[in-house]
């Protein structure tokens, strides 16, 4: 039994390897569980197949097993040739190899960790962990061993070996104000090897980078323990992304497939935190992820329009020729029948009238929106704006006044602002005729409630936009 000053997990593992006196090394976290046959099976496999390293299957769970599964007979073994080592390299980054992913009982090969790896001591001595790397140290360790110039004989044994017990107190499951730096360090190390790489391994590495960015979002900036103002979180995250090594990662986005390029774009424009903050909000209406982004939609749209020239109070129809000449593609979100000058007839819409009032009281209804469905009430709902985002001042105190808006549904007539399509049989038939005309307009992309004559919630709008971007701009630099 050795007692050692806490200098991090990498130093502790190296210390254990250097002190070990046996022929083989197996890394085990203190709260994890081994199946009873692991050691017997591992030693036999190393000797039978003349391997330097044997990797077994792992089960990630938040519950300690009450009984072990039955030990299987005739266990499959797979020796990794160069092609399979390349597959494992991809799997370490993105868990992309189907035959090594979790089966119906949750057992898998998790090459990214050092768990369920049984190796000869001399291999462990040659491939030690990098001191000071507290997160991702085992990813670097596994990749270094896999790519060693000594070409180790590595085998995969399809046998249940190791229960990895997740808990709320592990490094990756708790808020840690240092997590940004701790995750940036392994990225900086791996960028030197994989940043300029190509092919399937680089694609998998990019998946890993995106997972780490998402992890930073949720475990650092969107964790409940982080009570900083949201604008400060966005500013700090932006600074991180525009320093090495993340700036190099973002600068390579145009070499990525479209979906990854788009994700990096959202990070680069400070939009990702707004989207992720939506997922953490309390359920609004009955949709699982519906809500208002922290900071509001204004902040999100402002980031989307960053660097883009915006004209206000400009009627597209009146300046159509001039505006169309500015670009190869036009995104039109106005009424589809208006675009074609109503030549097939006028679609019907519903409009909305708002009646806004400033009240000399801190709270009117205690909620952002209250719907009124009775026949006697003239308005359909009352919005109390402060509860969407800015219900309290910067010190957490109630604001002394509040603003409410009564919303009245109204019939639409030409000249009114159209809000909602009327998706009955008559209008749907007319829209289908307009859609034929729209499909023939190769330069114009029709979108939104009015452009597609379709009722959209915000989550559906965002999904539709991403789908259209992928369809229209694949292969373009965005």
């Amino acid at each position: 039994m050795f007692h050692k000053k806490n200098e991090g997990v990498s130093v502790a593992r190296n210390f254990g390897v250097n002190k070990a006196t046996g022929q083989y090394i197996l890394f085990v976290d203190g709260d994890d569980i081994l199946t009873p046959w692991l050691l017997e099976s591992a030693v036999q496999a190393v000797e039978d197949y003349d391997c330097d390293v044997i990797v077994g299957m792992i089960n990630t769970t938040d519950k300690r097993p009450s009984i072990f599964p039955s030990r299987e007979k005739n266990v499959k073994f797979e020796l990794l040739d160069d092609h399979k080592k390349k597959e494992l390299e991809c799997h370490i980054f993105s868990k992309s190899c189907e035959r090594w992913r979790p089966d119906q009982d949750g057992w898998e090969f998790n090459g990214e960790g050092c768990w369920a790896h049984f190796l000869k001591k001399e291999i462990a001595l040659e491939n030690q962990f990098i001191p000071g790397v507290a997160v991702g140290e085992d990813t670097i360790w596994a990749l270094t061993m896999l790519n060693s110039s000594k070409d180790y004989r590595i085998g995969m044994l399809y046998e249940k070996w190791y229960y990895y017990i997740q808990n709320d107190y592990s490094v990756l499951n708790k808020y840690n104000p240092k997590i940004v730096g701790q995750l940036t360090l392994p990225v900086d190390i791996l960028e030197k090897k994989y940043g300029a790489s190509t092919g399937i391994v680089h694609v998998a590495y990019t998946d890993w980078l995106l997972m780490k960015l998402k992890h930073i979002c949720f475990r650092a900036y969107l964790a409940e323990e982080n009570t900083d103002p949201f604008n400060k979180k966005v500013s700090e995250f932006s600074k991180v992304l525009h320093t090495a090594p993340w700036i190099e990662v973002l600068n390579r986005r145009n070499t990525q497939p479209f979906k990854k390029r788009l994700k990096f774009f959202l990070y680069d424009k400070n939009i990702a935190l707004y989207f992720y903050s939506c997922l953490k909000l309390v359920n609004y209406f009955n949709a699982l992820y519906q809500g208002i982004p922290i900071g509001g939609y204004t902040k999100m749209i402002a980031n989307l329009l960053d660097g883009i020239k915006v004209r206000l109070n400009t009627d597209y129809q009146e300046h159509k020729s001039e505006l169309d000449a500015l670009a190869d593609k036009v995104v039109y979100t106005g009424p589809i029948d208006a675009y074609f000058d109503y030549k097939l007839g006028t679609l019907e819409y519903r409009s909305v009238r708002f009646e806004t009032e400033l009240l000399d009281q801190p709270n009117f209804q205690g909620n952002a929106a209250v719907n009124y469905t009775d026949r006697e009430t003239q308005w359909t709902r009352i919005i109390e704006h402060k509860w969407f985002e800015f219900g309290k001042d910067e010190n957490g105190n109630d604001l002394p006044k509040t603003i409410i808006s009564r919303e009245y549904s109204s019939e639409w007539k030409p000249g009114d602002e159209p809000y909602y399509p009327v998706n009955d049989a008559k209008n749907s038939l007319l829209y289908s005729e307009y859609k034929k005309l729209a499909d023939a307009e190769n330069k114009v992309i029709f979108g939104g409630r009015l452009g597609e004559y379709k009722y959209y919630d915000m989550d559906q709008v965002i999904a539709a936009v991403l789908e259209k971007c992928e369809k229209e701009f694949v292969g373009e630099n965005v």
Side-chain angles (χ1 to χ4, degrees):
M1 178 72 72
F2 294 99
H3 295 278
K4 188 183 180 308
K5 177 184 176 182
N6 185 2
E7 298 177 83
V9 64
S10 295
V11 173
R13 287 173 178 159
N14 292 341
F15 179 84
V17 168
N18 293 327
K19 290 291 184 180
T21 59
Q23 292 180 262
Y24 304 105
I25 297 293
L26 176 72
F27 297 102
V28 185
D29 285 357
D31 53 355
D32 293 343
I33 298 175
L34 309 180
T35 54
W37 52 83
L38 186 157
L39 294 176
E40 176 189 352
S41 177
V43 172
Q44 183 175 349
V46 166
E47 295 176 351
D48 288 351
Y49 299 109
D50 187 25
C51 285
D52 299 306
V53 183
I54 295 288
V55 184
M57 298 177 74
I58 186 171
N59 192 306
T60 302
T61 177
D62 58 357
K63 297 179 181 179
R64 300 176 71 85
S66 56
I67 58 173
F68 290 109
S70 300
R71 186 177 182 183
E72 299 178 11
K73 298 179 180 179
N74 302 319
V75 176
K76 177 183 174 182
F77 171 81
E78 190 173 16
L79 182 66
L80 300 186
D81 56 19
D82 289 344
H83 175 72
K84 289 177 181 175
K85 283 185 178 180
K86 192 66 65 177
E87 281 189 332
L88 181 58
E89 194 171 15
C90 293
H91 189 72
I92 287 173
F93 281 129
S94 63
K95 308 296 184 291
S96 55
C97 186
E98 192 64 36
R99 68 180 181 278
W100 295 331
R101 294 177 69 182
D103 62 16
Q104 66 274 11
D105 297 319
W107 290 92
E108 62 179 319
F109 286 102
N110 187 350
E112 185 175 4
C114 59
W115 318 286
H117 284 59
F118 187 82
L119 58 157
K120 294 178 179 177
K121 182 185 175 182
E122 59 265 30
I123 307 300
L125 288 170
E126 293 168 356
N127 296 273
Q128 299 208 2
F129 295 85
I130 301 176
V133 182
V135 177
E137 79 291 341
D138 41 11
T139 300
I140 298 170
W141 175 84
L143 290 166
T144 301
M145 186 172 61
L146 188 63
N147 289 293
S148 171
S149 60
K150 294 191 175 182
D151 194 23
Y152 301 127
R153 286 176 60 85
I154 301 175
M156 311 287 276
L157 195 66
Y158 287 71
E159 188 172 39
K160 300 167 183 176
W161 272 12
Y162 193 105
Y163 285 94
Y164 177 72
I165 311 297
Q166 287 189 323
N167 61 70
D168 293 335
Y169 305 103
S170 68
V171 172
L172 294 180
N173 282 334
K174 66 179 180 180
Y175 168 64
N176 179 358
K178 299 179 181 178
I179 198 69
V180 176
Q182 289 175 342
L183 282 172
T184 298
L185 184 55
V187 171
D188 194 29
I189 294 170
L190 292 174
E191 267 290 291
K192 294 176 174 60
K193 176 175 176 59
Y194 294 98
S197 63
T198 58
I200 59 173
V201 175
H202 183 73
V203 172
Y205 170 62
T206 303
D207 289 336
W208 184 82
L209 290 171
L210 287 167
M211 284 191 290
K212 300 311 169 188
L213 282 169
K214 188 174 182 179
H215 187 86
I216 287 174
C217 284
F218 280 98
R219 291 300 174 191
Y221 296 106
L222 296 180
E224 293 180 3
E225 295 88 344
N226 188 337
T227 58
D228 288 341
F230 190 74
N231 287 347
K232 181 180 179 181
K233 296 177 184 179
V234 173
S235 175
E236 289 183 353
F237 191 34
S238 179
K239 290 177 183 177
V240 170
L241 294 179
H242 289 85
T243 56
W246 297 107
I247 185 66
E248 287 82 3
V249 172
L250 294 179
N251 286 341
R252 286 201 314 274
R253 73 168 186 260
N254 287 338
T255 65
Q256 305 297 330
F258 177 81
K259 287 185 178 180
K260 294 186 180 69
R261 192 160 74 244
L262 185 58
K263 290 178 181 178
F264 282 123
F265 173 82
L266 295 179
Y267 282 108
D268 189 32
K269 293 297 182 180
N270 292 335
I271 300 168
L273 275 182
Y274 290 93
F275 280 126
Y276 289 143
S277 69
C278 289
L279 304 184
K280 294 180 68 66
L281 291 177
V282 176
N283 190 3
Y284 178 60
F285 297 147
N286 289 316
L288 182 59
Y289 295 132
Q290 191 176 53
I292 303 299
I294 296 174
Y297 283 113
T298 300
K299 196 79 172 181
M300 186 176 78
I301 298 302
N303 283 317
L304 280 169
L305 296 177
D306 181 39
I308 297 175
K309 184 176 180 180
V310 178
R311 294 189 191 181
L312 302 178
N313 302 315
T314 302
D315 189 313
Y316 168 71
Q317 301 293 350
E318 294 179 5
H319 302 271
K320 188 175 185 301
S321 298
E322 173 199 353
L323 296 174
D324 286 355
L326 296 177
D328 295 330
K329 288 282 187 179
V330 173
V331 178
Y332 177 81
T333 59
I336 189 171
D337 52 349
Y339 179 89
F340 294 104
D341 200 22
Y342 306 103
K343 67 181 183 180
L344 300 180
T346 302
L347 290 164
E348 294 180 279
Y349 302 89
R350 295 289 298 176
S351 192
V352 176
R353 177 174 63 85
F354 296 97
E355 182 182 88
T356 300
E357 186 177 357
L358 172 64
L359 300 177
D360 192 16
Q361 61 189 78
N363 181 9
F364 175 75
Q365 63 188 17
N367 209 327
V370 174
N371 296 324
Y372 292 81
T373 59
D374 60 291
R375 181 177 297 181
E376 290 73 24
T377 304
Q378 296 179 343
W379 51 83
T380 57
R381 62 180 172 178
I382 295 179
I383 305 296
E384 188 168 6
H385 300 273
K386 67 191 301 182
W387 303 121
F388 279 123
E389 172 61 26
F390 49 91
K392 297 181 183 295
D393 65 17
E394 60 184 11
N395 297 318
N397 301 314
D398 287 333
L399 299 172
K401 298 185 179 183
T402 191
I403 298 174
I404 65 170
S405 293
R406 296 180 179 88
E407 184 176 317
Y408 298 82
S409 178
S410 61
E411 298 287 342
W412 174 86
K413 60 183 183 299
D416 292 341
E417 185 76 23
Y419 278 84
Y420 306 106
V422 180
N423 295 126
D424 59 14
K426 180 184 71 172
N427 285 286
S428 296
L429 181 62
L430 180 57
Y431 166 69
S432 67
E433 296 302 313
Y434 274 119
K435 188 176 185 305
K436 293 177 183 177
L437 298 178
D439 290 341
E441 295 278 326
N442 295 326
K443 182 173 182 173
V444 182
I445 303 167
F446 293 83
R449 285 182 177 179
L450 305 181
E452 296 179 73
Y453 202 69
K454 181 177 181 180
Y455 186 89
Y456 274 124
D457 285 325
M458 280 303 299
D459 59 329
Q460 296 169 326
V461 167
I462 293 170
V465 168
L466 296 178
E467 184 178 343
K468 284 183 180 293
C469 284
E470 183 172 6
K471 176 183 177 182
E472 297 288 343
F473 300 123
V474 64
E476 302 291 333
N477 291 332
V478 295

